[in-house]
């Protein structure tokens, strides 16, 4: 059967590529960096189970692609393998994309369609595979060009810029884009710097189309499925004929329209149909044999049944061996498809895996390289001849790394741009001769583009004239200018963090966003809510209306890189109150810092309107002498943005400011609620006794319907009002520290800048929104641990002095930790 498909009995190995004397040491150091990262990841728990809830209408592409809302943090990156657990059965899946809390999975055809499942991710396997592959290639290997690999991370030689008299390229490209294509057509390493909106993807597609026309075989790689699909779609628009098998995509596309056109599995299944059918038949036989064997295990066996058991075990072993051989042959078909293709597109990590191992190409294009580690970039570039294009924007987000060892920082924290010294050269105005910089942007309107260019690109970025006359598709009553700032300094809103998490959220800021989005539902076709912090992103995501789930988006900045929206609301979250000090993203804003990159990505996602929510006194309260990109951005924001009072934002929609009748409004909400959760910081709780009749009347679903978390005095004593409430049956739970001042009452979210039930509660906001209330309840829920009961559970008394045990959520040094103790006797 394999011979009929033209497959050799043994796959021939290509000769080893050129070798560099410096390569072995570089490979060993990069492999060591991956081992350090694996150690750091393992300390954070390698295997994670995340509950999933199916998104309506998610089954597409013949049932292979499924979309779920994750009920926790998805630690795995796009393109990684995971296990989908459905009713105790496990299915191997691929994480196609993660956007906010929505994860898209490529599932096998036999995985049932369900509303709930669990995703089990293992963060270690990709690191292990990359380290293993680098160790295999220390002395070189078949089809691997060590010289090309090293060149992708080596500082280029200095010299005068290459002057191209008549740059070639399609007529639809501008002068800078044509120059970039012309330069990248020449052998060697070309660094293609494409700031946001400058048409980097268009340029890459035009380049690959020209390379194909010249008969060259191209590897197109990118760090994520989403980035790869954007490049593929742009290429197919220029060369639709590539979809007949000349362009092959490895891994499941995030865009389902690409599946049948270019997916290697689909092409291989067609070419290897007899093998594939035989694999299905033998797999069915194996399942039947296992089913029969399991039935025999349930009882004492007769002699005849013992014989039958031995026969089944032998048959199962033989079928397993056959299936391994068939899988190997099908793998050969996939590799043969890749050998014959003109363009092979794959996520970068596929270069460490079996399908592309030992295959070589004339030209390698690594797109979105700023998000790719230097270690992985070497594996990608080593599949080529030395004609390599490294495309991306080193002023945007770097690879995400946990380990802080010098090796990890050098080889994993740094992209190939940093490893080769390109950003430093650009900052010193010494552009390398083979750097092609795109400088005209088409995405952002003039005011937004000017701020981004000034703060993050040393004013090198200009706005194309056509953006001013572009049709406005999305409108909102509060987006009266291209650049709008909502200064929340006078709100004195509090930031908090989820238990055990270093990340943070700001309930009052989210309530502002709730009003803005509810007011724009009918007029904004395309809107994005962006924040640096994952817990805040989940709150913002709950605000997306059902009829805009495909057009609107809410996510962290990291997840939004590569995206764009007509209107972008950027929530900075941090205020310096509650969680303090400010995150280093706002205090360390030098060029190349993560703070500058995050802010750049967030601001440059906006096409027509950028709205920034932030406490400007905290965010810009640094010495003007620093003049770093973050300081510069906020300085220009203050000078040029149209100010919008937060009071106007509140009045726009579902959030209201409560200035009077606070207790009566709370009482009214409690009467209608099935559950009440409150979080009250240290201070007066004067209003609590008057609410006790309503609080004691709430009936839940079996757990404690009412839980009031209170911050006791430093000596552990609770207020008189709290003790009275406890005597009357209210579940009072002392906790230190409590950074929130809020209540989730049924479908209503309350927040205050001081103690909500105190004499002076400060600014009080009320938002009635069921999905938002559910998300806020999840954000503030306390988990059980270290002997401490969590939310919805009763607290305990000290066994010695009978005072209430306190839930401490910081250790004695102020670090995140959990313990359950009595303040009086330490029991």
């Amino acid at each position: 059967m394999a011979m009929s498909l033209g497959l050799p009995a043994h796959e021939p190995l290509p000769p080893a590529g050129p070798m560099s004397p410096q390569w072995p040491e570089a490979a060993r150091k990069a492999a060591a960096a991956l081992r350090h990262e694996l150690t750091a990841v393992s300390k954070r728990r390698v295997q994670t189970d995340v509950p999933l809830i199916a998104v309506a209408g998610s089954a597409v592409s013949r049932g292979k692609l499924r979309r779920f809302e994750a009920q926790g943090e998805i630690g795995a990156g796009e393109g990684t393998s995971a296990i989908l657990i459905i009713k105790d059965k496990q299915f191997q899946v691929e994480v196609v994309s993660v956007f906010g809390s929505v994860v898209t999975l490529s599932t096998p055809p036999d995985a049932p369609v369900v509303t709930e499942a669990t995703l089990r991710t293992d963060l270690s396997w990709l690191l292990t595979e990359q380290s293993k592959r680098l160790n295999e290639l220390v002395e070189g290997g078949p089809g691997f060009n060590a010289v090309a690999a090293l060149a992708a991370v080596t500082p280029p030689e200095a010299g005068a810029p290459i002057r191209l008299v008549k740059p070639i390229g399609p007529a639809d490209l501008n002068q800078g884009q044509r120059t970039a294509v012309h330069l990248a057509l020449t052998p060697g390493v070309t660094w293609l710097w494409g700031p946001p909106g400058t048409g980097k993807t268009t340029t890459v597609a035009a380049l690959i189309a020209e390379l194909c026309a010249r008969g060259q075989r191209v590897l197109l790689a990118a760090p994520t499925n989403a980035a790869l699909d954007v490049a593929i779609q742009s290429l197919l628009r220029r060369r639709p004929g590539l979809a007949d098998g000349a362009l092959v995509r490895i891994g499941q596309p995030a865009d389902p329209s690409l599946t049948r056109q270019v997916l290697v599995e689909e092409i291989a299944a067609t070419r290897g149909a007899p093998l594939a059918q035989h694999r299905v038949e033998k797999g069915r036989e194996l399942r039947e044999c296992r089913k029969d064997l399991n039935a025999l295990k349930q009882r004492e066996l007769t002699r005849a049944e013992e014989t039958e058991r031995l026969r089944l075990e032998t048959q199962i072993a033989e079928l397993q061996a056959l299936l391994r051989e068939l899988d190997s042959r099908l793998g050969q078909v996939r590799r043969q498809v890749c050998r014959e293709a003109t363009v092979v597109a794959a996520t970068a990590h596929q270069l460490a895996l079996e399908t592309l191992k030992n295959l070589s190409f004339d030209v390698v294009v690594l797109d979105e390289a700023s998000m790719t580690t230097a270690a992985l970039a070497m594996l990608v570039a080593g599949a080529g001849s030395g004609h390599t294009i490294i495309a991306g924007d080193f002023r945007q987000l770097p690879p995400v790394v946990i380990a802080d060892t010098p090796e990890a920082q050098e080889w994993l924290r740094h992209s190939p741009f940093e490893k080769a010294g390109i950003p430093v050269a650009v900052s010193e105005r010494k552009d390398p001769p083979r750097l092609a910089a795109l400088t005209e942007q088409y995405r952002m309107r003039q005011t937004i583009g000017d701020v981004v260019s000034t703060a993050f690109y040393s004013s090198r970025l200009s706005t194309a004239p056509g953006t001013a006359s572009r049709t406005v598709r999305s409108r909102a009553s509060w987006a009266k200018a291209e650049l709008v700032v909502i200064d929340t300094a006078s709100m004195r809103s509090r930031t908090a963090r989820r238990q055990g998490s270093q990340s943070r959220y700001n309930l009052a800021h989210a309530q502002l966003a709730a009003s803005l989005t509810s007011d724009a539902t009918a007029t904004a076709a395309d809107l994005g809510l962006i924040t640096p912090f994952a817990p805040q992103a989940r709150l913002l995501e709950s605000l997306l209306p059902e009829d805009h789930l495909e057009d609107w988006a809410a996510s962290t900045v990291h997840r939004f890189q590569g995206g764009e929206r007509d209107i972008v609301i950027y929530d900075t979250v941090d205020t310096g109150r509650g969680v303090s000090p400010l995150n280093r993203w706002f205090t360390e804003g030098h060029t190349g810092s993560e703070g500058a990159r995050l802010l750049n990505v967030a601001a440059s996602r906006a096409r027509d309107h950028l709205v920034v929510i932030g406490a400007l006194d905290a965010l810009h309260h640094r010495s003007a002498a620093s003049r770093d990109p973050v300081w510069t951005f906020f300085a220009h924001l203050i000078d040029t943005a149209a100010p919008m009072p937060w009071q106007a934002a509140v009045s726009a929609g579902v959030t209201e400011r409560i200035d009077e009748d606070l207790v009566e409004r709370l009482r009214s909400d409690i009467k209608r609620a099935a559950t009440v959760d409150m979080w009250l910081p240290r201070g007066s709780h004067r209003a609590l006794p008057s609410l006790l009749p309503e609080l004691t009347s709430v009936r839940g679903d079996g757990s404690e319907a009412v839980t009031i978390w209170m911050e006791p005095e430093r000596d552990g004593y609770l207020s008189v009002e709290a003790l009275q409430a406890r005597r009357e049956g209210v579940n009072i739970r002392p906790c230190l520290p409590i950074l929130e001042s809020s209540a989730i009452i049924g479908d209503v979210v309350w927040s205050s800048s001081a103690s909500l039930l105190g004499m002076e509660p400060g600014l009080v906001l009320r938002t009635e929104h069921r999905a938002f209330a559910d998300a806020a309840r999840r954000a503030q829920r306390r988990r059980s641990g270290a002997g401490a009961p969590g939310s919805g559970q009763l607290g305990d008394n000290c066994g010695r002095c009978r005072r209430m045990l306190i839930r401490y959520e910081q250790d004695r040094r102020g670090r995140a930790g959990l313990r359950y103790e009595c303040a009086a006797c330490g029991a």
Side-chain angles (χ1 to χ4, degrees):
M1 194 176 294
M3 291 176 63
S4 68
L5 296 172
L7 298 177
H10 299 286
E11 193 173 339
L13 285 178
M19 190 64 180
S20 166
Q22 292 77 35
W23 167 251
E25 182 182 5
R28 290 191 186 97
K29 286 183 177 179
L34 288 160
R35 290 195 298 274
H36 295 169
E37 180 71 0
L38 180 58
T39 300
V41 166
S42 300
K43 289 179 181 177
R44 290 196 176 188
R45 209 172 107 192
V46 173
Q47 186 171 289
T48 304
D49 286 356
V50 179
L52 304 177
I53 297 176
V55 175
S58 63
V60 295
S61 183
R62 293 184 290 174
K64 284 187 175 182
L65 281 184
R66 313 261 174 92
R67 294 175 68 221
F68 294 91
E69 181 184 353
Q71 306 303 298
E73 187 70 19
I74 298 290
E78 296 180 349
T80 61
S81 292
I83 299 293
L84 187 66
I85 303 173
I86 301 175
K87 297 177 181 178
D88 298 326
K89 292 187 177 180
Q90 298 187 0
F91 301 88
Q92 191 80 27
V93 298
E94 179 184 332
V95 178
V96 175
S97 67
V98 181
F99 202 88
S101 64
V102 176
V103 57
T104 301
L105 304 176
S106 172
T107 62
D110 59 336
V113 178
V114 293
T115 57
E116 296 185 4
T118 298
L119 185 68
R120 177 169 293 167
T121 59
D122 183 347
L123 305 183
S124 65
W125 79 277
L126 264 183
L127 297 170
T128 302
E129 291 298 324
Q130 290 177 43
S131 179
K132 177 182 172 184
R133 184 61 178 149
L134 281 166
N135 282 319
E136 290 174 352
L137 295 171
V138 165
E139 300 300 332
F144 185 77
N145 188 325
V147 174
L150 209 55
V153 295
T154 300
E157 294 181 3
I162 297 174
R163 302 296 180 188
L164 303 173
V165 181
K166 292 183 178 179
I168 63 172
D172 61 330
L173 301 186
N174 63 34
Q175 180 71 15
Q177 292 166 340
R178 286 199 299 273
T179 299
V181 169
H182 196 173
L183 180 61
L185 287 172
T186 60
V189 179
T190 299
W191 305 92
L192 175 55
W193 182 20
T198 55
K200 173 182 63 63
T201 299
T202 299
T203 306
V204 167
L207 166 65
I208 296 175
E210 182 62 31
L211 290 167
C212 292
R214 297 184 176 199
Q216 306 225 270
R217 234 168 69 81
V218 180
L219 170 66
L220 169 63
T224 66
N225 284 291
L228 193 62
D229 288 350
V230 169
I232 292 172
Q233 290 284 30
S234 183
L235 177 57
L236 287 177
R237 283 194 290 271
R238 291 185 175 275
R239 293 286 299 269
L242 290 173
D244 63 2
L247 191 156
V248 172
R249 164 73 152 88
I250 298 174
Q252 184 69 47
D255 183 346
S257 68
L258 291 173
T259 302
R260 294 191 183 183
Q261 288 179 284
V262 300
L263 187 61
V264 67
E265 302 292 343
E266 299 282 348
I267 299 171
T270 302
R271 296 189 186 182
L275 272 176
Q277 183 59 39
H278 195 47
R279 172 67 174 80
V280 170
E281 291 169 358
K282 293 304 176 183
R284 190 181 298 119
E285 280 185 40
L286 179 60
R287 287 193 296 273
E288 290 298 321
C289 287
R290 283 176 171 159
K291 180 180 178 182
D292 293 343
L293 183 61
N294 287 334
L296 290 176
K297 290 178 179 178
Q298 307 304 315
R299 59 180 184 272
E300 291 289 330
L301 302 183
T302 64
R303 182 173 297 179
E305 287 172 334
E306 283 284 1
T307 302
E308 175 63 7
R309 179 184 66 81
L310 181 59
R311 185 191 71 79
L312 286 171
E313 289 175 341
T314 302
Q315 188 173 355
I316 287 171
E318 291 173 349
L319 284 169
Q320 286 176 325
L322 177 58
L323 289 175
R324 283 195 294 271
E325 179 62 23
L326 289 171
D327 287 338
S328 175
R329 291 299 182 182
L330 284 170
Q332 277 188 263
V333 175
R334 287 192 291 271
R335 287 171 60 78
Q336 190 66 25
V337 168
C338 292
R339 275 198 194 90
E340 296 170 358
T342 303
V343 179
V344 174
T347 47
H349 73 264
Q350 291 284 349
L351 273 296
L353 305 181
E354 198 60 38
T355 301
L356 290 180
K357 195 174 288 186
N358 303 331
L359 299 187
S360 57
F361 300 83
D362 299 321
V363 183
V364 169
V365 179
L366 177 56
D367 198 10
E368 297 296 350
S370 63
M371 298 173 63
T372 307
T373 68
L376 186 53
M378 291 195 300
L379 288 177
V380 174
S385 65
H387 187 171
T388 308
I389 295 89
I390 309 290
D393 180 8
F394 45 82
R395 295 282 168 82
Q396 297 206 18
L397 292 175
V400 177
V401 178
I402 296 174
D404 58 1
T405 65
E407 292 85 355
Q409 294 298 304
E410 179 182 3
W411 291 98
L412 305 182
R413 181 71 175 177
H414 287 163
S415 75
F417 283 110
E418 281 83 22
K419 192 72 178 68
I422 304 300
V424 172
V426 169
S427 295
E428 295 175 352
R429 299 282 181 174
K430 298 176 182 177
D431 290 11
R434 292 192 62 89
L435 174 70
L438 306 180
T439 58
E440 188 174 30
Q441 69 87 15
Y442 299 83
R443 176 188 298 162
M444 300 167 279
R445 291 193 184 269
Q446 185 77 47
T447 308
I448 306 169
D450 286 350
V451 172
V452 170
S453 178
T454 302
F456 307 113
Y457 294 97
S458 305
S459 300
R460 293 176 63 147
L461 203 58
S462 63
T463 300
T467 58
S469 58
R470 189 175 62 206
T471 302
V472 176
R473 300 188 311 132
S474 300
R475 299 182 184 277
S477 61
W478 35 266
K480 299 183 184 301
E482 295 171 3
L483 193 59
V484 177
V485 62
I486 302 175
D487 186 1
T488 62
S490 62
M491 292 176 67
R492 297 183 62 77
S493 58
R494 308 166 69 95
T495 56
R497 59 164 55 105
R498 293 191 68 183
Q499 176 195 331
S501 169
Q502 294 302 309
S503 195
R504 51 195 79 182
Y505 63 92
N506 184 322
L507 207 54
H509 275 202
Q511 289 175 283
L512 288 185
S515 267
L516 296 176
T517 54
S518 64
D519 180 65
T521 302
T523 55
D526 191 65
L527 183 146
L529 297 159
I530 314 178
T531 178
F533 303 102
Q536 189 77 355
R538 295 194 191 98
L539 292 178
L540 297 178
E541 191 172 34
S542 70
L543 304 175
L544 300 180
E546 289 290 330
D547 57 347
H548 281 298
L549 290 178
E550 295 299 322
D551 308 314
W552 290 19
S555 181
T556 61
V557 181
H558 283 89
R559 297 294 186 195
F560 221 98
Q561 178 152 315
E564 57 182 53
R565 287 292 186 273
D566 293 340
I567 302 174
V568 166
I569 299 173
Y570 178 56
D571 183 358
T572 59
V573 177
D574 243 345
T575 63
R577 298 190 71 242
V579 179
S580 63
L582 291 178
N583 190 285
R584 59 184 175 81
W585 293 334
F586 298 112
T587 59
E588 300 173 12
H590 59 274
T591 299
S593 68
E594 192 169 4
R597 294 181 183 210
L598 278 164
L599 196 52
N600 179 16
V601 172
S604 61
R605 301 309 94 198
R607 286 195 287 256
D608 297 328
H609 302 283
L610 173 65
V611 180
V612 179
I613 301 174
L616 296 183
D617 64 338
L619 299 176
H620 196 246
H621 186 64
R622 293 189 291 142
S623 170
S626 64
R627 301 251 175 213
D628 60 35
V630 170
W631 185 93
T632 301
F633 176 85
F634 285 112
H636 278 260
L637 193 70
I638 292 169
D639 290 342
T640 62
M644 179 182 183
W646 62 262
Q647 295 90 337
V650 167
S651 64
V654 296
T655 298
E656 56 182 319
R657 180 181 182 179
I658 306 299
D659 286 322
E660 54 188 24
D661 298 327
L662 170 62
V663 174
E664 287 305 313
R665 295 296 300 274
L666 285 168
R667 180 177 289 118
S668 175
D669 284 345
I670 293 170
K671 285 180 179 179
R672 298 184 293 124
T675 61
V676 176
D677 295 275
M678 290 189 181
W679 295 265
L680 304 176
R682 186 179 299 130
S684 166
H685 305 124
R686 187 183 65 168
L688 180 57
S690 63
L691 295 173
L692 289 179
E694 288 73 30
L695 289 169
T696 54
S697 299
V698 177
R699 295 290 178 264
D701 55 0
S703 60
E704 289 297 312
V706 176
T707 301
I708 300 181
W709 295 90
M710 286 189 169
E711 189 173 35
E713 296 301 323
R714 298 190 185 280
D715 58 5
Y717 282 101
L718 289 169
S719 66
V720 172
E721 298 91 346
L723 294 174
Q724 178 187 346
R726 188 171 187 239
R727 284 195 298 270
E728 296 194 25
V730 176
N731 185 19
I732 300 295
R733 298 291 309 280
C735 180
L736 275 170
I738 289 183
L739 303 173
E740 311 94 322
S741 180
S742 58
I744 315 296
I745 305 173
D747 295 339
V748 183
V749 177
W750 289 77
S751 74
S752 63
S753 58
S755 183
L756 179 63
L757 301 184
M759 295 179 62
E760 296 181 359
L763 173 66
V764 178
L765 299 180
R766 177 186 181 275
T767 306
E768 188 163 358
H769 190 296
R770 175 175 294 180
F772 180 49
D774 288 343
R777 192 178 287 111
R778 287 195 298 270
Q780 302 189 141
R781 175 171 291 275
R782 264 61 179 178
R783 298 188 299 271
S784 300
S791 290
Q793 298 174 308
L794 292 170
D796 300 315
N797 286 336
C798 175
R800 295 179 185 172
C801 65
R802 308 308 300 166
R803 287 171 61 176
M804 288 201 73
L805 296 178
I806 298 174
R807 179 188 177 97
Y808 292 91
E809 297 186 346
Q810 288 182 351
D811 64 19
R812 291 175 177 82
R813 294 185 179 181
R815 299 171 301 191
L818 180 62
R819 66 187 196 278
Y820 199 42
E821 294 179 0
C822 174
C825 58

